Amino acid sequence: MLHFFQRPRSPFKTGVLVLIWGWMLTFVLLPNVMIIFTSVMTRGDSHFIEWQLTLDNYIRVFDPLYLQVFISSLWMAVITTLICLIIGYPFAFAISRFPAHVKPFLMLLVIIPFWTNSLVRTYALKVLLATKGLLNQSLLSLGLIDTPLRMLYTEGAVILGLVYVLLPFMILPLYAVFDQLNYNYIEAAQDLGASKIKTFWHLVIPLTMPGIIAGSLLVLLPAMGMFYIADLLGGAKHLLIGNLIKNQFLDARDWPFGATASIFLTSAMAILLYAYWRSIKLMKQQVNV
Amino acid sequence: MTHPPSVLVSLKDVSKSYDDKTVLAALDLDIYDGEFVTLLGPSGCGKTTILRLIAGFERPNHGQIILAGEEITQQAAHLRHVNTVFQSYALFPHMSVFDNVAFGLRMEKVAEPEVKERAIQALEMVQLANLAHRRPHQLSGGQQQRVAIARAAVKRPRLLLLDEPLSALDYKLRKQMQNELKRLQRQLGITFIFVTHDQEEALSMSDRVIVMREGHIEQIGTPRQVYENPKTLFVARFVGETNLFDAVIQTKNNHHWTLTLAQQNVCIKARTHLAHLAEGQKVKVLLRPEDMRLYAPADRQALADQPCLSGKVIERNYKGMTLDTVIALEQGGQILVSEFFDEEDPDFDYRLGESVLVSWVANWEVILVDEQVSPSVAVSAVEEV
């Protein structure tokens, strides 16, 4: 690190450094400072913020009403993560076992949905799930049901939407670890007398743990903030933390409280990311990746 | 082996192909109890496939594999009493050295106190008991290698398969591990099947060497048989360096043959195993570089009744123990002569471009029938210079 700074800089290097630091300061540090600043202000009627220091917002976050939103939001995010893991794990494994020339194509299929805005895709889900939507109509015409099922505006619909949008974020890191997984380890385990199940338990799961953790974080954290999915598929009842924040800023016009809620979400993410970073460090000591 | 050995593993008419590529073609092979066998051959000759078939990672397309009298052709790998030392070691990175060694015993549901005792014993055997708590990546290559051996041997298999286990080690460590493996094999009394493409390794370690080429066996024999009496040109060229001459049998009787070799008549002892060859038959004469001798042109008188070729020194390589000299022959072609240092000999050191005479130790020639020689083989060629 030291000799990096001592070396004479090229104009290119200076330029890149200025750009990066400028970007980080303007678009990361400054907004966050503004949010922290806002969170300790008082709500104002004419200018959004009144210049009066207060910690009321931080006390209000622990109001059972909001705590309820936090908890149910976390619950939905956890369920979403588990479903993504259950679908994504075998999926990523299967892709990694395909011949090398097929793999990029299969990964492309996973990535293609990214090219369509997730808002549009969520609307598509809404069309499918609506009372008079495609799914209900098909089931009705097949005679499987007599009355339309209520699918839209349920917790299940929100979770479905979250899984649908976030599944690739689970598959990508899992695919990365499966693709790196040395098949020799699995053969060695079998050679030493481990059955398929034991090999999976003692070798495959521990060796893919970095991917499991990374994928889970990439799903869990955004799942708590994707307000438009809860808006479109959950109606007014199934709120995520993201909805709470959005409502405070746009509907209730309570910027200081919205800022406080967003600080809570950010802190939760930061804590989880720190836990991930620690666990990776521990893994690195254990697993020679 | 003094008493008649019993067969431990048998491959009967085993074939294996991937897609349309045949890797093993109708192979028959018996491996005896307690021996150290080496499968030697260039990459792609099928030697690793044999190992993988015996270990159970692959199934043959055809044929049978029999281990200790029991057919195991279709048996799952984890049920076979065979263990493998992998080329990459494949030590489990998330487990300590001890847990790696204990893994196989735990899979067998051996009671934990016994697991502990046996795992430590196995680690003591490879002198690593003091590093039992470490992770594999904290060990050197040679230490990882020894853990891999301990992990495979701890299960007391009938048969230990070693897939080029020393190829990742540097020269000195490799030598040391070769000796250690030999010691372990004697100590444990387990049959070892060792795969390598390093002929020196194969010769120095094995009871028997199996030379393979393109999915079939070229020759099976003791290291000495394979080196001194190669059955085919391929074996001769793969195992050690060779000088090769085209020759024709001119006359033969029960005691002597006369060959024309590099436009000279050479008299050699009759080869009884080749008695069927007729006069006029083309043959290949094979000479090892270390059997060749160099003389100064002035010595021609003294060499009167010995085969003698003349040429010029075009290359000299100092190898420490030996001095390798490449000679361009007057009759065309090049040969390699490898001589041990003799500090007493003032003539030992020849200069580049100097004219010399080349002879060899009489009757150490290997005669091979010409029919198996592909046309591309040069008149006389220095191999692997």
Side-chain angles (χ1 to χ4, degrees), chain A residues 158-199:
Chain A
V158 178
I159 290 172
L160 177 72
L162 289 172
V163 169
Y164 173 51
V165 171
L166 295 170
L167 186 60
F169 293 98
M170 180 62 87
I171 292 175
L172 289 172
L174 281 174
Y175 170 72
V177 288
F178 273 120
D179 206 38
Q180 297 289 307
L181 184 66
N182 188 343
Y183 212 68
N184 271 330
Y185 294 138
I186 290 163
E187 285 186 347
Q190 288 172 358
D191 190 69
L192 293 166
S195 61
K196 284 212 161 78
I197 294 166
K198 281 181 171 171
T199 304

Side-chain angles (χ1 to χ4, degrees), chain A residues 182 184-196 198-199 202-203 206-207 284-289, chain B residues 52 55 57 77-78 82-84 86 88 90-95 100 103-104 107 109 135 137 151-152 155:
Chain A
N182 188 343
N184 271 330
Y185 294 138
I186 290 163
E187 285 186 347
Q190 288 172 358
D191 190 69
L192 293 166
S195 61
K196 284 212 161 78
K198 281 181 171 171
T199 304
H202 291 291
L203 271 301
L207 291 172
K284 280 246 164 88
Q285 282 171 14
Q286 295 172 8
V287 183
N288 190 12
V289 248
Chain B
R52 295 178 61 81
F57 303 137
H78 72 275
V82 168
N83 289 110
T84 308
F86 291 83
S88 61
L91 298 179
F92 306 139
H94 58 297
M95 297 181 194
N100 262 281
F103 186 85
M107 290 302 114
K109 299 214 161 66
R135 300 269 165 189
H137 74 273
R151 185 177 71 172
K155 296 198 55 162

Side-chain angles (χ1 to χ4, degrees), chain B residues 23-239:
Chain B
V23 184
L24 294 177
L27 191 105
D28 286 297
L29 177 62
D30 283 337
I31 303 221
Y32 302 111
D33 204 3
E35 71 174 340
F36 194 126
V37 181
T38 300
L39 296 171
L40 175 67
S43 53
C45 71
K47 55 194 194 297
T48 296
T49 306
I50 292 184
L51 228 55
R52 295 178 61 81
L53 286 170
I54 298 174
F57 303 137
E58 313 268 356
R59 302 279 178 276
N61 299 98
H62 185 259
Q64 281 185 310
I65 301 168
I66 291 151
L67 174 68
E70 185 192 344
E71 194 190 328
I72 57 163
T73 318
Q74 300 298 332
Q75 198 179 45
H78 72 275
L79 301 174
R80 300 188 184 191
H81 295 293
V82 168
N83 289 110
T84 308
V85 177
F86 291 83
Q87 184 173 14
S88 61
Y89 315 148
L91 298 179
F92 306 139
H94 58 297
M95 297 181 194
S96 69
V97 165
F98 176 84
D99 288 335
N100 262 281
V101 176
F103 186 85
L105 298 174
R106 286 175 178 155
M107 290 302 114
E108 268 181 59
K109 299 214 161 66
V110 173
E112 199 58 23
E114 194 192 333
V115 168
K116 189 152 195 257
E117 190 193 319
R118 279 171 66 182
I120 290 295
Q121 224 170 50
L123 283 168
E124 273 166 0
M125 176 184 79
V126 294
Q127 290 128 39
L128 282 177
N130 54 331
L131 301 180
H133 59 281
R134 293 234 187 137
R135 300 269 165 189
H137 74 273
Q138 295 171 306
L139 304 182
S140 70
Q143 288 168 335
Q144 291 185 19
Q145 167 67 73
R146 301 216 294 264
V147 176
I149 293 165
R151 185 177 71 172
V154 75
K155 296 198 55 162
R156 298 174 191 155
R158 297 291 302 272
L159 179 62
L160 196 64
L161 307 172
L162 302 104
D163 184 7
E164 305 207 24
L166 307 181
S167 59
L169 305 179
D170 63 53
Y171 182 78
K172 217 174 156 188
L173 201 52
R174 204 158 69 218
K175 290 274 153 208
Q176 191 189 326
M177 283 307 298
Q178 285 174 10
N179 290 330
E180 208 156 319
L181 274 177
K182 278 299 288 179
R183 176 182 66 80
L184 275 176
Q185 197 253 344
R186 276 193 298 263
Q187 188 182 326
L188 296 168
I190 298 175
T191 308
F192 275 35
I193 304 182
F194 186 94
V195 161
T196 185
H197 60 259
D198 181 340
Q199 45 101 4
E200 199 185 325
E201 202 165 274
L203 295 180
S204 64
M205 297 176 77
S206 328
D207 297 321
R208 282 198 307 160
V209 178
I210 297 166
V211 186
M212 293 194 59
R213 175 199 192 182
E214 290 167 11
H216 68 265
I217 294 169
E218 285 273 313
Q219 185 171 359
I220 303 182
T222 63
R224 202 166 164 175
Q225 282 166 349
V226 169
Y227 188 79
E228 291 182 3
N229 287 305
K231 286 241 174 60
T232 67
L233 203 58
F234 175 83
V235 175
R237 298 165 88 182
F238 195 77
V239 183

